[in-house]
Amino acid sequence: MSAPVLKLVAQRIAMGLLLLLAVSVLIFAGTQILPGDVAQSILGQSATPQALENLRRDMGLNDPAYIRYLHWLGGILTGDLGTALSSGQDIATSLKERLWNTLFLAFWAAVVSIPLAIMLGLLAVRYRNGFVDKLISGLGLASTSLPEFFTGYLLIYFVAVRLQWFPSVSTVYEGMPLGERLSAIALPVTVLTLVVLAHMMRMTRAAILNVMQSAYIETAELKGLSPLQIITRHAFPNAIAPIVNVVMLNLAFLVVGVVVVEVIFVYPGMGQYLVDHVAKRDVPVVQACGLVFAAVYISLNIIADIVAIVSNPRLRHPK
């Protein structure tokens, strides 16, 4: 890679790390201003003032906020996410399996949605301004307009309860056969696919149509190539950069935006884990989940930026 490309990549990575640091400050500050007393929620209403004071001292709650933040940040940098207040379990160990489940769900949603979105985008360009283009755009807009919880409950009622094709509760466990696991996540994958499909399809269509205005596309038309050949061989390869960018952004949403879907289908992922411990006011778990979600989202956005930089011929081959 050329020096300008390496410089831009290094800048994007540095900006991502600074952004993650800023997000960690916001997460810590946000959990500190939550109403209620952590020590009181752990010991209960019958706890004596002396017991509450002893627990606050043991947990470091009497220290200044910046001291507690630095202690928390130092633990994260060494791989220590802390201990759950409600269960006493190591948070990193608990998050490991939960994060894997969330990534598994997001992966299969991406496997379904990305090829389908690109195919629909190509069809919309091929028949642009026609019935097929309007039908695809209309259905995509309708799927985006429906809230995730509404789509999820519709699928549960019609597909799981009435037709009994798939289970309404997405229960997975370690060692579960792949076929059974895929059957268990079929409905949440469908909801996530409908959420991101329209956005990726519309951006694919827009990126290809933008390339179709180029002079070499007109040359290809003069050579007598069919519209499908022009789109697949000439327009689509040159629209890869913006398409990859929007795909990565939607992948980030698939990982971070699964909270509602996981709660609806009782899926044992990061989102369900976070919601359970918010109800218990388990601050260390909430902080750890928030930071992991932020790290995944920022990392995928950095990858999208790097792909866009590397795929730019003007940066790869400067004059």
Side-chain angles (χ1 to χ4, degrees), residues 113-125 136 197 201 204 236:
S113 61
I114 292 174
L116 187 58
I118 293 175
M119 182 187 70
L120 291 176
L122 292 173
L123 281 175
V125 173
I136 293 174
L197 181 64
M201 182 274 295
T204 299
F236 178 68

Side-chain angles (χ1 to χ4, degrees), residues 137-151 194-195 198-199:
S137 298
L139 292 176
L141 183 61
S143 67
T144 306
S145 303
L146 296 176
E148 298 165 45
F149 68 88
F150 181 75
T151 306
L194 292 174
V195 170
H199 184 222

